[in-house]
Amino acid sequence: MKRRERTRQLIELGGLVVKAGLVELTDDDRAVILGLLVEAAAKLRTEDREQALTLWRRRGKRAFAQDAIT
């Protein structure tokens, strides 16, 4: 991945963290945010992976749709 593409990807991923409300809800505690992400990654390493992905994908699509309305 080229540097410019990687920078764009990182900015977009950071935007998702903000859009999810994690920065506000954690008072910008980056250790907490990282802990949440590590926990999600651990969940994806279990046999419940597909169920978690389905649930999170559905919630994410709803959040994007809600954001488009407002």
Side-chain angles (χ1 to χ4, degrees):
M1 180 178 294
K2 293 180 183 176
R3 185 176 178 186
R4 176 173 269 169
E5 292 168 352
R6 177 158 167 71
T7 299
R8 180 181 172 101
Q9 179 188 38
L10 293 173
I11 291 169
E12 289 173 349
L13 291 171
L16 293 175
V17 171
V18 172
K19 185 181 286 276
L22 294 175
V23 175
E24 227 176 73
L25 291 168
T26 63
D27 293 323
D28 199 12
D29 187 329
R30 291 158 195 216
V32 172
I33 294 169
L34 180 57
L36 288 164
L37 296 171
V38 167
E39 190 70 24
K43 179 77 168 178
L44 293 175
R45 291 185 187 97
T46 70
E47 52 193 48
D48 295 333
R49 173 188 169 83
E50 291 306 317
Q51 183 179 356
L53 286 172
T54 299
L55 174 67
W56 295 338
R57 185 176 292 114
R58 190 177 310 133
R59 287 183 179 169
K61 286 181 178 181
R62 270 192 250 134
F64 277 129
Q66 184 64 35
D67 195 47
I69 293 171
T70 57

